Amino acid sequence: LHEGDQSAVRDFLAGQELADIAGYVEELNVGDDLAAMRLLPLHDQAELIAYLRPSSQMEIATRMPRRELAALMTAMSHDERADLFKQLSDEAQEAILPALTKAEREDLRRLASYAEWTVGSVMTSDYATLSPDMTPTQALEALRSQALEAETVYTAYIVDQSRHLLGVLELRDILMARPRQHVGDIMDREPIFVRADAEQEEAAKLVARYDLIALPVLDGNDQLVGIVTADDAMDVHEEEVTEDFHKGSTIGPIETSVSEATIAVLYKARIFWLVLLVFGNIFSGAGIAAFEETIAAHLSLLFFLPLLIASGGNAGAQSATLMVRALATGDVRPSDFGRLLGREVLIALALGLTMAVAVSAIGVWRGGPAIALVVAVSMIIIVLAGALIGMCLPFIFAKINRDPAAASGPLVTSMADVLGVLTYFTIAAALLDV
Amino acid sequence: LHEGDQSAVRDFLAGQELADIAGYVEELNVGDDLAAMRLLPLHDQAELIAYLRPSSQMEIATRMPRRELAALMTAMSHDERADLFKQLSDEAQEAILPALTKAEREDLRRLASYAEWTVGSVMTSDYATLSPDMTPTQALEALRSQALEAETVYTAYIVDQSRHLLGVLELRDILMARPRQHVGDIMDREPIFVRADAEQEEAAKLVARYDLIALPVLDGNDQLVGIVTADDAMDVHEEEVTEDFHKGSTIGPIETSVSEATIAVLYKARIFWLVLLVFGNIFSGAGIAAFEETIAAHLSLLFFLPLLIASGGNAGAQSATLMVRALATGDVRPSDFGRLLGREVLIALALGLTMAVAVSAIGVWRGGPAIALVVAVSMIIIVLAGALIGMCLPFIFAKINRDPAAASGPLVTSMADVLGVLTYFTIAAALLDV
């Protein structure tokens, strides 16, 4: 690039996918990244910038001359440019607006106005429309004229004068239609749709459930205001999955990517549950303190304490994870609880018995047969209790309309810890102090 | 249905999406489900059965007369029917084959021959093809004639006589082409593709990265053998995400859905790590046993033991989850380790200090200032150590080419437990026994 050998670079870039070029651009130095982008045609630049990380987008956008940025934003897909616009400083926003057409300004302001977690914030307004009275040939011609601008032409939306959604039609059905038919005859009159103020997760679920290419978005007046494409729905879904992973380890919501999050953001997302669980574990400590006499008389009991309480927690974390994920994918429904509970009891008993056998051998070696018996019996009960807590908690959360994912590993482990301590020493006191 | 009021049911079904009808059919009694299905046109039946759970598919298929099942399978998309075929008993397979055409039999055998986790096992062979010398009009006509059979017509594949892949073309580009151009001029000559024997996850990643509608699949001779559509890639991705969730709680691979898994399957998936972690926790027990004298002299130390070791484990589980997920989505790369390590140290120190303050108040109350000091210092070190173990383990696993997801919560917790016990009692022995 420095050598001025631009045509070689240009040839190289022509053979590459934009998603890969984005990777190269991010690794270039400040200045070079902009120079490399400028070697591409405007339309590719507009697509490329959408593949960059938000922080890289911002960096490049703020270094671009105002006119160039306006041209780029005009070529960008409507949802991507709204996302970029939202990130710009108030100053930069004000600078860019006059360089855009009135229609673009309004579109930008409208898309940028939806709250962060809503369908409106992830939809795009560059969809293809048809009229109900068009013939298949006319419809194809209409889609051809919109193909450069529209995010997808594989699903088209049929609207009346005031943009009320009349129906949806796939391009495949237009291809297969007979010449005399009209769009209005073959369109789906009861299409799946979503409201602009619904949660974005809702759109992702509908797209996945009905295998849609794009989902129409209506406002409160039943007017079509945008579409959510399958790949944007996929991105939303990925965000939700990440949130579920984080919840599973008591990590609160993080707005930015983990890689770009600041220390303060990550601290805030983590501290709340950590401190809360400290207080939860006071009960375990109090449990131990209550049995100080038993412990003082049989200090060898302490050897098995970490092992027993960890086993209950681990079995519980397994059960919770299985149920949280199965509930999230729809594999299991809240109404399946009864059927699954019986199965879980049997599995947990089998697990507990196996582990009791493993641990009683160590028990005999470390503390003699009496201790071995205490440890083995405790193990069965603790694993059973842990597994049942882990299995029931997600269903209870679902029942009280909380996210089952909040039944996280650490929460289950903490509850299993308390129960484990009490079970172990109660049994020990009963069997050893007689 | 029993009342014989079939036309009312038929009218009701006509207004419903097939994905929803599948839900109703699954809740019907044996016999009724088949009767309800038969009210739909064959093409819809073929699509409907793909939405049913594997066990429901099997139940219905085994109850269908052989000829009816053959007709249904002929109408099904090629990948779905291969999946159904694989589930049938050897007897049922032999019974159905003669009722199919030779081409269908061969297609079925070939698709069913790929190993479970490969791209070949999720691809479909009903893709649309074009010749390089076609004009846009001819190409549209060709796609029209394939629209009923093909899984998608929005991406078409250009092959030579021996099915070598020459290029890929989107229907959108055919629409926008000039009348004099030929398919060979406008097709993408270096399309993204995947090999049939690659891991299925590979296909899902490529589809997501390049926002593809469908991904072509080549065999070892560069011949086109199938495509993976975006919605099938999404299903593969969902399976992988579920596996990652399970690994995060030390649950081994489960072939079927959790809801349908047997007790034996779930037992096997869970027992290995549970027993392994029991032995890991012996080290914690041995650590406690090594400090029996210190503990006997200061039994109040035990009160804080669960709280301290749980805190290290919880902080570690948080760090591990953040890193495992960020590595899985590509948000963080293994090369980012150095940059993120510094940030993690600072976050962990901030977390540890906050928790030390919280816990030292309890320390003064339960055991006096000396114990409070021991507990506070231990907390900072334990949280720091836990967080660093949780952060480093996924990177180490990635470095030695293991799945970072194996750096699960319970594994991190167990390691943090050992370190926590040793840290706590070492500090206690040093500060209290002087």
Side-chain angles (χ1 to χ4, degrees), chain B residues 98-145:
Chain B
L100 300 172
T101 67
K102 181 157 174 284
E104 280 164 359
R105 277 201 300 274
E106 278 170 10
D107 179 77
L108 206 49
R109 283 219 182 91
R110 198 166 48 77
L111 285 181
S113 71
Y114 287 96
E116 199 50 58
W117 48 270
T118 60
V119 170
S121 74
V122 294
M123 72 184 185
T124 190
S125 55
D126 38 1
Y127 47 83
T129 56
L130 297 174
S131 311
D133 53 354
M134 286 175 171
T135 62
T137 314
Q138 290 170 327
L140 271 187
E141 193 46 54
L143 291 181
R144 179 171 301 162
S145 68

Short mmCIF file of all heavy atoms in Angstrom, two decimals, chain B residues 98-145:
data_model
loop_
_atom_site.label_atom_id
_atom_site.label_comp_id
_atom_site.label_asym_id
_atom_site.label_seq_id
_atom_site.Cartn_x
_atom_site.Cartn_y
_atom_site.Cartn_z
N PRO B 98 -37.93 -51.01 -2.97
CA PRO B 98 -38.46 -51.38 -4.29
C PRO B 98 -39.54 -50.42 -4.79
O PRO B 98 -39.79 -50.34 -6.00
CB PRO B 98 -39.04 -52.78 -4.07
CG PRO B 98 -38.38 -53.27 -2.83
CD PRO B 98 -38.11 -52.08 -2.00
N ALA B 99 -40.21 -49.71 -3.87
CA ALA B 99 -41.29 -48.81 -4.28
C ALA B 99 -40.75 -47.48 -4.80
O ALA B 99 -41.52 -46.63 -5.25
CB ALA B 99 -42.23 -48.58 -3.10
N LEU B 100 -39.44 -47.27 -4.71
CA LEU B 100 -38.85 -46.01 -5.18
C LEU B 100 -38.20 -46.21 -6.54
O LEU B 100 -37.89 -47.33 -6.95
CB LEU B 100 -37.78 -45.54 -4.18
CG LEU B 100 -38.26 -45.29 -2.75
CD1 LEU B 100 -37.07 -45.03 -1.83
CD2 LEU B 100 -39.21 -44.10 -2.70
N THR B 101 -37.98 -45.09 -7.24
CA THR B 101 -37.28 -45.19 -8.53
C THR B 101 -35.81 -45.47 -8.27
O THR B 101 -35.30 -45.24 -7.16
CB THR B 101 -37.39 -43.89 -9.34
OG1 THR B 101 -36.65 -42.88 -8.64
CG2 THR B 101 -38.83 -43.46 -9.49
N LYS B 102 -35.09 -45.90 -9.30
CA LYS B 102 -33.68 -46.24 -9.16
C LYS B 102 -32.87 -45.00 -8.71
O LYS B 102 -32.03 -45.07 -7.81
CB LYS B 102 -33.15 -46.77 -10.49
CG LYS B 102 -31.68 -47.17 -10.47
CD LYS B 102 -31.38 -48.17 -11.58
CE LYS B 102 -29.89 -48.47 -11.66
NZ LYS B 102 -29.10 -47.37 -12.28
N ALA B 103 -33.16 -43.85 -9.33
CA ALA B 103 -32.42 -42.63 -8.99
C ALA B 103 -32.64 -42.26 -7.52
O ALA B 103 -31.71 -41.86 -6.81
CB ALA B 103 -32.87 -41.48 -9.89
N GLU B 104 -33.89 -42.44 -7.06
CA GLU B 104 -34.19 -42.10 -5.65
C GLU B 104 -33.48 -43.06 -4.70
O GLU B 104 -32.98 -42.65 -3.65
CB GLU B 104 -35.70 -42.16 -5.42
CG GLU B 104 -36.41 -40.90 -5.92
CD GLU B 104 -37.90 -41.10 -6.06
OE1 GLU B 104 -38.39 -42.22 -5.79
OE2 GLU B 104 -38.58 -40.14 -6.44
N ARG B 105 -33.47 -44.34 -5.07
CA ARG B 105 -32.79 -45.33 -4.23
C ARG B 105 -31.32 -44.99 -4.07
O ARG B 105 -30.76 -45.02 -2.98
CB ARG B 105 -32.91 -46.72 -4.87
CG ARG B 105 -34.19 -47.45 -4.58
CD ARG B 105 -34.03 -48.94 -4.77
NE ARG B 105 -33.65 -49.32 -6.12
CZ ARG B 105 -34.53 -49.51 -7.12
NH1 ARG B 105 -35.82 -49.33 -6.91
NH2 ARG B 105 -34.12 -49.88 -8.31
N GLU B 106 -30.71 -44.64 -5.23
CA GLU B 106 -29.27 -44.33 -5.18
C GLU B 106 -29.00 -43.08 -4.36
O GLU B 106 -28.07 -43.02 -3.57
CB GLU B 106 -28.72 -44.17 -6.60
CG GLU B 106 -28.41 -45.52 -7.21
CD GLU B 106 -28.08 -45.40 -8.69
OE1 GLU B 106 -27.91 -44.26 -9.18
OE2 GLU B 106 -27.99 -46.45 -9.34
N ASP B 107 -29.85 -42.05 -4.56
CA ASP B 107 -29.71 -40.81 -3.82
C ASP B 107 -29.83 -41.08 -2.32
O ASP B 107 -29.04 -40.59 -1.51
CB ASP B 107 -30.78 -39.83 -4.27
CG ASP B 107 -30.71 -38.52 -3.52
OD1 ASP B 107 -29.82 -37.71 -3.83
OD2 ASP B 107 -31.52 -38.33 -2.59
N LEU B 108 -30.81 -41.89 -1.98
CA LEU B 108 -31.09 -42.22 -0.58
C LEU B 108 -29.90 -42.95 0.04
O LEU B 108 -29.43 -42.61 1.13
CB LEU B 108 -32.32 -43.12 -0.54
CG LEU B 108 -33.19 -43.13 0.70
CD1 LEU B 108 -33.53 -41.73 1.13
CD2 LEU B 108 -34.47 -43.91 0.40
N ARG B 109 -29.40 -43.95 -0.65
CA ARG B 109 -28.27 -44.73 -0.15
C ARG B 109 -27.05 -43.86 0.03
O ARG B 109 -26.31 -43.97 1.00
CB ARG B 109 -27.95 -45.87 -1.13
CG ARG B 109 -28.92 -47.04 -1.05
CD ARG B 109 -28.19 -48.37 -1.21
NE ARG B 109 -29.11 -49.50 -1.20
CZ ARG B 109 -29.68 -50.02 -2.30
NH1 ARG B 109 -29.41 -49.51 -3.49
NH2 ARG B 109 -30.48 -51.06 -2.19
N ARG B 110 -26.83 -42.95 -0.96
CA ARG B 110 -25.63 -42.12 -0.91
C ARG B 110 -25.70 -41.14 0.27
O ARG B 110 -24.76 -41.04 1.06
CB ARG B 110 -25.47 -41.36 -2.23
CG ARG B 110 -24.07 -40.83 -2.47
CD ARG B 110 -23.89 -40.38 -3.92
NE ARG B 110 -24.99 -39.53 -4.35
CZ ARG B 110 -25.11 -38.25 -4.01
NH1 ARG B 110 -24.19 -37.68 -3.28
NH2 ARG B 110 -26.14 -37.54 -4.42
N LEU B 111 -26.84 -40.44 0.39
CA LEU B 111 -26.97 -39.47 1.48
C LEU B 111 -26.92 -40.16 2.84
O LEU B 111 -26.38 -39.62 3.80
CB LEU B 111 -28.28 -38.68 1.34
CG LEU B 111 -28.32 -37.60 0.26
CD1 LEU B 111 -29.66 -36.89 0.28
CD2 LEU B 111 -27.20 -36.58 0.45
N ALA B 112 -27.48 -41.37 2.91
CA ALA B 112 -27.51 -42.08 4.20
C ALA B 112 -26.15 -42.67 4.55
O ALA B 112 -25.94 -43.10 5.68
CB ALA B 112 -28.57 -43.18 4.17
N SER B 113 -25.21 -42.66 3.59
CA SER B 113 -23.93 -43.33 3.82
C SER B 113 -22.93 -42.46 4.58
O SER B 113 -21.93 -42.96 5.07
CB SER B 113 -23.33 -43.75 2.48
OG SER B 113 -22.88 -42.61 1.78
N TYR B 114 -23.17 -41.16 4.67
CA TYR B 114 -22.20 -40.28 5.34
C TYR B 114 -22.27 -40.43 6.86
O TYR B 114 -23.34 -40.59 7.42
CB TYR B 114 -22.43 -38.82 4.95
CG TYR B 114 -22.00 -38.53 3.52
CD1 TYR B 114 -22.92 -38.54 2.49
CD2 TYR B 114 -20.66 -38.28 3.22
CE1 TYR B 114 -22.53 -38.30 1.18
CE2 TYR B 114 -20.27 -38.03 1.91
CZ TYR B 114 -21.20 -38.05 0.90
OH TYR B 114 -20.82 -37.81 -0.38
N ALA B 115 -21.11 -40.35 7.49
CA ALA B 115 -21.03 -40.49 8.94
C ALA B 115 -21.76 -39.34 9.63
O ALA B 115 -21.90 -38.24 9.07
CB ALA B 115 -19.58 -40.53 9.38
N GLU B 116 -22.20 -39.60 10.84
CA GLU B 116 -23.14 -38.76 11.59
C GLU B 116 -22.74 -37.28 11.69
O GLU B 116 -23.56 -36.39 11.53
CB GLU B 116 -23.30 -39.34 13.00
CG GLU B 116 -24.54 -38.89 13.73
CD GLU B 116 -25.79 -39.05 12.90
OE1 GLU B 116 -26.11 -40.17 12.46
OE2 GLU B 116 -26.44 -38.03 12.65
N TRP B 117 -21.49 -37.00 11.95
CA TRP B 117 -21.07 -35.62 12.25
C TRP B 117 -20.52 -34.90 11.02
O TRP B 117 -20.00 -33.79 11.14
CB TRP B 117 -20.02 -35.64 13.36
CG TRP B 117 -18.97 -36.66 13.07
CD1 TRP B 117 -18.96 -37.97 13.44
CD2 TRP B 117 -17.79 -36.49 12.26
NE1 TRP B 117 -17.87 -38.62 12.93
CE2 TRP B 117 -17.12 -37.74 12.21
CE3 TRP B 117 -17.23 -35.39 11.60
CZ2 TRP B 117 -15.93 -37.93 11.50
CZ3 TRP B 117 -16.04 -35.58 10.88
CH2 TRP B 117 -15.41 -36.85 10.85
N THR B 118 -20.61 -35.50 9.83
CA THR B 118 -20.02 -34.88 8.64
C THR B 118 -20.99 -33.95 7.93
O THR B 118 -22.20 -34.00 8.14
CB THR B 118 -19.59 -35.94 7.61
OG1 THR B 118 -20.75 -36.68 7.22
CG2 THR B 118 -18.56 -36.90 8.20
N VAL B 119 -20.42 -33.10 7.07
CA VAL B 119 -21.23 -32.23 6.22
C VAL B 119 -22.17 -33.08 5.37
O VAL B 119 -23.34 -32.74 5.19
CB VAL B 119 -20.32 -31.37 5.32
CG1 VAL B 119 -21.14 -30.64 4.27
CG2 VAL B 119 -19.52 -30.38 6.16
N GLY B 120 -21.67 -34.22 4.89
CA GLY B 120 -22.48 -35.11 4.04
C GLY B 120 -23.78 -35.53 4.70
O GLY B 120 -24.80 -35.72 4.03
N SER B 121 -23.76 -35.65 6.02
CA SER B 121 -24.96 -36.12 6.72
C SER B 121 -26.03 -35.05 6.87
O SER B 121 -27.16 -35.35 7.23
CB SER B 121 -24.58 -36.66 8.11
OG SER B 121 -24.27 -35.60 8.98
N VAL B 122 -25.69 -33.78 6.62
CA VAL B 122 -26.69 -32.70 6.75
C VAL B 122 -26.99 -32.03 5.42
O VAL B 122 -27.88 -31.18 5.34
CB VAL B 122 -26.26 -31.62 7.77
CG1 VAL B 122 -26.22 -32.21 9.17
CG2 VAL B 122 -24.92 -31.01 7.42
N MET B 123 -26.24 -32.40 4.37
CA MET B 123 -26.48 -31.73 3.08
C MET B 123 -27.70 -32.35 2.40
O MET B 123 -28.19 -33.40 2.79
CB MET B 123 -25.25 -31.89 2.17
CG MET B 123 -25.05 -33.29 1.64
SD MET B 123 -23.52 -33.42 0.69
CE MET B 123 -23.67 -35.11 0.08
N THR B 124 -28.18 -31.65 1.36
CA THR B 124 -29.26 -32.22 0.56
C THR B 124 -28.85 -32.19 -0.90
O THR B 124 -27.99 -31.39 -1.30
CB THR B 124 -30.59 -31.48 0.79
OG1 THR B 124 -31.63 -32.22 0.17
CG2 THR B 124 -30.56 -30.07 0.24
N SER B 125 -29.43 -33.09 -1.69
CA SER B 125 -28.99 -33.21 -3.09
C SER B 125 -29.98 -32.58 -4.07
O SER B 125 -29.77 -32.64 -5.27
CB SER B 125 -28.78 -34.68 -3.43
OG SER B 125 -29.97 -35.41 -3.14
N ASP B 126 -31.04 -31.97 -3.55
CA ASP B 126 -32.01 -31.35 -4.46
C ASP B 126 -31.74 -29.87 -4.64
O ASP B 126 -32.48 -29.02 -4.17
CB ASP B 126 -33.46 -31.60 -4.02
CG ASP B 126 -33.63 -31.55 -2.51
OD1 ASP B 126 -32.63 -31.31 -1.80
OD2 ASP B 126 -34.76 -31.74 -2.04
N TYR B 127 -30.62 -29.59 -5.32
CA TYR B 127 -30.22 -28.20 -5.60
C TYR B 127 -30.53 -27.89 -7.06
O TYR B 127 -30.74 -28.79 -7.88
CB TYR B 127 -28.74 -28.01 -5.29
CG TYR B 127 -27.86 -29.08 -5.86
CD1 TYR B 127 -27.43 -29.04 -7.19
CD2 TYR B 127 -27.45 -30.15 -5.07
CE1 TYR B 127 -26.65 -30.03 -7.71
CE2 TYR B 127 -26.65 -31.17 -5.59
CZ TYR B 127 -26.26 -31.10 -6.92
OH TYR B 127 -25.49 -32.08 -7.44
N ALA B 128 -30.53 -26.59 -7.39
CA ALA B 128 -30.83 -26.16 -8.76
C ALA B 128 -29.53 -25.94 -9.52
O ALA B 128 -28.58 -25.37 -8.97
CB ALA B 128 -31.64 -24.88 -8.72
N THR B 129 -29.48 -26.38 -10.78
CA THR B 129 -28.26 -26.21 -11.57
C THR B 129 -28.54 -25.42 -12.84
O THR B 129 -29.67 -25.38 -13.34
CB THR B 129 -27.67 -27.58 -11.99
OG1 THR B 129 -28.67 -28.32 -12.69
CG2 THR B 129 -27.21 -28.37 -10.78
N LEU B 130 -27.48 -24.77 -13.36
CA LEU B 130 -27.56 -24.00 -14.60
C LEU B 130 -26.33 -24.35 -15.45
O LEU B 130 -25.34 -24.88 -14.93
CB LEU B 130 -27.55 -22.50 -14.30
CG LEU B 130 -28.71 -21.93 -13.49
CD1 LEU B 130 -28.44 -20.47 -13.17
CD2 LEU B 130 -30.03 -22.10 -14.23
N SER B 131 -26.41 -24.03 -16.74
CA SER B 131 -25.23 -24.17 -17.60
C SER B 131 -24.62 -22.80 -17.84
O SER B 131 -25.35 -21.80 -17.88
CB SER B 131 -25.60 -24.76 -18.96
OG SER B 131 -26.40 -25.89 -18.79
N PRO B 132 -23.31 -22.74 -18.04
CA PRO B 132 -22.64 -21.44 -18.19
C PRO B 132 -23.08 -20.67 -19.43
O PRO B 132 -22.96 -19.44 -19.47
CB PRO B 132 -21.16 -21.79 -18.25
CG PRO B 132 -21.09 -23.26 -18.50
CD PRO B 132 -22.36 -23.86 -18.02
N ASP B 133 -23.61 -21.36 -20.44
CA ASP B 133 -23.93 -20.66 -21.68
C ASP B 133 -25.37 -20.14 -21.73
O ASP B 133 -25.81 -19.63 -22.76
CB ASP B 133 -23.66 -21.58 -22.88
CG ASP B 133 -24.37 -22.92 -22.72
OD1 ASP B 133 -24.95 -23.13 -21.63
OD2 ASP B 133 -24.35 -23.73 -23.66
N MET B 134 -26.10 -20.26 -20.63
CA MET B 134 -27.49 -19.78 -20.62
C MET B 134 -27.55 -18.26 -20.55
O MET B 134 -26.72 -17.62 -19.91
CB MET B 134 -28.24 -20.34 -19.41
CG MET B 134 -28.61 -21.81 -19.51
SD MET B 134 -29.37 -22.35 -17.94
CE MET B 134 -29.96 -23.97 -18.42
N THR B 135 -28.58 -17.68 -21.21
CA THR B 135 -28.86 -16.26 -21.04
C THR B 135 -29.69 -16.09 -19.76
O THR B 135 -30.22 -17.08 -19.24
CB THR B 135 -29.68 -15.72 -22.22
OG1 THR B 135 -30.93 -16.41 -22.23
CG2 THR B 135 -28.96 -15.93 -23.54
N PRO B 136 -29.82 -14.87 -19.26
CA PRO B 136 -30.65 -14.65 -18.06
C PRO B 136 -32.06 -15.22 -18.23
O PRO B 136 -32.59 -15.83 -17.30
CB PRO B 136 -30.67 -13.13 -17.91
CG PRO B 136 -29.38 -12.69 -18.50
CD PRO B 136 -29.12 -13.62 -19.66
N THR B 137 -32.66 -15.02 -19.40
CA THR B 137 -34.01 -15.52 -19.63
C THR B 137 -34.05 -17.04 -19.55
O THR B 137 -34.94 -17.63 -18.92
CB THR B 137 -34.53 -15.07 -21.01
OG1 THR B 137 -34.25 -13.68 -21.17
CG2 THR B 137 -36.02 -15.32 -21.13
N GLN B 138 -33.06 -17.69 -20.19
CA GLN B 138 -32.99 -19.15 -20.14
C GLN B 138 -32.75 -19.65 -18.71
O GLN B 138 -33.31 -20.65 -18.28
CB GLN B 138 -31.88 -19.66 -21.06
CG GLN B 138 -32.19 -19.48 -22.55
CD GLN B 138 -30.98 -19.76 -23.41
OE1 GLN B 138 -29.85 -19.49 -23.02
NE2 GLN B 138 -31.23 -20.29 -24.60
N ALA B 139 -31.92 -18.91 -17.98
CA ALA B 139 -31.62 -19.30 -16.61
C ALA B 139 -32.89 -19.23 -15.74
O ALA B 139 -33.17 -20.14 -14.96
CB ALA B 139 -30.53 -18.40 -16.02
N LEU B 140 -33.65 -18.14 -15.91
CA LEU B 140 -34.91 -18.01 -15.16
C LEU B 140 -35.84 -19.16 -15.49
O LEU B 140 -36.47 -19.74 -14.60
CB LEU B 140 -35.61 -16.69 -15.51
CG LEU B 140 -35.26 -15.46 -14.68
CD1 LEU B 140 -36.18 -14.31 -15.06
CD2 LEU B 140 -35.39 -15.76 -13.19
N GLU B 141 -35.92 -19.50 -16.78
CA GLU B 141 -36.78 -20.59 -17.22
C GLU B 141 -36.31 -21.92 -16.59
O GLU B 141 -37.13 -22.73 -16.13
CB GLU B 141 -36.75 -20.68 -18.76
CG GLU B 141 -37.82 -21.55 -19.36
CD GLU B 141 -39.19 -21.28 -18.75
OE1 GLU B 141 -39.64 -20.11 -18.75
OE2 GLU B 141 -39.80 -22.24 -18.24
N ALA B 142 -35.00 -22.12 -16.56
CA ALA B 142 -34.45 -23.34 -15.98
C ALA B 142 -34.78 -23.43 -14.49
O ALA B 142 -35.15 -24.49 -13.97
CB ALA B 142 -32.94 -23.40 -16.19
N LEU B 143 -34.67 -22.30 -13.79
CA LEU B 143 -34.97 -22.30 -12.36
C LEU B 143 -36.46 -22.55 -12.12
O LEU B 143 -36.84 -23.24 -11.18
CB LEU B 143 -34.53 -20.98 -11.71
CG LEU B 143 -33.01 -20.77 -11.64
CD1 LEU B 143 -32.70 -19.44 -10.96
CD2 LEU B 143 -32.35 -21.92 -10.89
N ARG B 144 -37.28 -21.97 -13.00
CA ARG B 144 -38.72 -22.17 -12.89
C ARG B 144 -39.05 -23.66 -12.95
O ARG B 144 -39.85 -24.15 -12.17
CB ARG B 144 -39.41 -21.42 -14.04
CG ARG B 144 -40.90 -21.53 -14.08
CD ARG B 144 -41.45 -20.57 -15.10
NE ARG B 144 -41.06 -19.19 -14.77
CZ ARG B 144 -41.09 -18.17 -15.62
NH1 ARG B 144 -41.48 -18.36 -16.87
NH2 ARG B 144 -40.73 -16.97 -15.23
N SER B 145 -38.40 -24.37 -13.88
CA SER B 145 -38.72 -25.79 -14.04
C SER B 145 -38.19 -26.63 -12.87
O SER B 145 -38.64 -27.74 -12.65
CB SER B 145 -38.15 -26.30 -15.36
OG SER B 145 -36.74 -26.31 -15.29
#
